[in-house]
Amino acid sequence: LNELCNKEGAEIVDAIMKVVGIKFKGSGRVTRSEYVRVNLVDFEHPFLSRVWHGVHVLDGTSPLLTDKAKQRIRENNGSWPSHWFRPDVIKEKLDFADLIVTVAGISNISALTVHAYKRYKIGDVLIGYNFAPLVFRDKKTGMLEVDKTLVNDVREQAGLEGEDLSVRRMNVANTPNTSIHGRQQLEASTIRITKASDHDVRPGPGSLIRAMSFKV
């Protein structure tokens, strides 16, 4: 999101988005960090005025998937097996701890380089949800504007069951049977889940959920 999106002439020129994945390998006290470059469908934006969504395809070459998952996708002619499209199964196929997102470009106001940085934890990933639409047309002026109050909102993705967000409200300390991997995911998450009230959101299809760690 360009924080000056509703100001005329505040575009970011020649913007570039980069994503680095971090993995922790090993067991016990002997661990090492592994850094992988995450390729985006479009990593350049010539004239960023409002909103930019970074998209990475989880395919047979994605560094964010386990080796077994990538091999199975390649054996399936590059497609995910149909029985994988469940939140719990998708989560098992992911293989990263953190994602570091950086955006840089030239301000159209000052002609200076501007940049932004955000580090996401694996627990920040919401499976089966998309960001809520932010761009609306002002009824009085007819101009397109960005509702920045919705920047942290998501809604369930069409055609895919969203994960059970009630798990996000769990207190890890009160769940002694939680696996180590699951415990790390819950502890790493910085998301605070609340249902957006009617006066907080624009009218539209789908139910909006507020996930407060998604501003970049």
Side-chain angles (χ1 to χ4, degrees):
L1 172 70
N2 180 355
E3 292 189 359
L4 300 179
C5 51
N6 292 324
K7 183 176 181 179
E8 186 177 357
E11 299 83 7
I12 299 175
V13 182
D14 289 335
I16 296 178
M17 182 185 299
K18 294 184 178 182
V19 180
V20 174
I22 302 177
K23 304 181 180 184
F24 297 113
K25 299 296 183 178
S27 59
R29 294 185 177 181
V30 181
T31 60
R32 62 181 176 85
S33 299
E34 181 179 324
Y35 300 88
V36 294
R37 177 70 66 186
V38 180
N39 293 325
L40 301 177
V41 175
D42 293 305
F43 68 94
E44 295 179 319
H45 199 304
F47 206 64
L48 176 57
S49 59
R50 299 185 182 93
V51 181
W52 185 13
H53 292 280
V55 177
H56 170 72
V57 179
L58 294 173
D59 57 15
T61 64
S62 172
L64 303 183
L65 294 175
T66 65
D67 291 337
K68 289 184 178 180
K70 289 186 288 186
Q71 180 179 352
R72 182 69 183 90
I73 291 173
R74 290 193 293 267
E75 293 172 349
N76 198 45
N77 298 320
S79 300
W80 280 50
S82 58
H83 62 279
W84 281 13
F85 289 95
R86 300 202 322 266
D88 56 330
V89 177
I90 294 174
K91 189 170 294 187
E92 292 176 353
K93 309 305 178 185
L94 300 179
D95 182 26
F96 65 93
D98 295 357
L99 288 177
I100 297 177
V101 182
T102 59
V103 177
I106 300 174
S107 169
N108 202 25
I109 294 178
S110 62
L112 297 176
T113 300
V114 294
H115 58 86
Y117 164 97
K118 177 68 178 181
R119 184 168 184 161
Y120 293 95
K121 300 291 186 180
I122 180 63
D124 292 328
V125 176
L126 292 179
I127 297 176
Y129 292 85
N130 286 328
F131 284 109
L134 301 179
V135 182
F136 301 91
R137 188 175 300 278
D138 188 286
K139 294 182 179 180
K140 296 181 179 179
T141 65
M143 301 292 291
L144 291 178
E145 293 187 357
V146 176
D147 188 344
K148 293 191 287 186
T149 64
L150 301 180
V151 69
N152 296 311
D153 289 6
V154 295
R155 63 180 181 180
E156 193 164 7
Q157 181 179 340
L160 178 65
E161 176 189 359
E163 66 175 284
D164 184 2
L165 297 183
S166 64
V167 176
R168 303 283 178 165
R169 303 184 181 94
M170 291 173 56
N171 185 340
V172 178
N174 295 329
T175 54
N177 294 326
T178 303
S179 66
I180 295 299
H181 182 64
R183 184 185 299 270
Q184 289 174 340
Q185 286 189 346
L186 289 173
E187 289 179 338
S189 176
T190 58
I191 294 175
R192 299 194 302 274
I193 300 296
T194 58
K195 188 70 172 291
S197 58
D198 293 339
H199 65 271
D200 287 336
V201 300
R202 301 262 184 159
S207 176
L208 295 184
I209 303 293
R210 185 142 292 162
M212 298 303 293
S213 70
F214 279 94
K215 185 175 182 181
V216 178

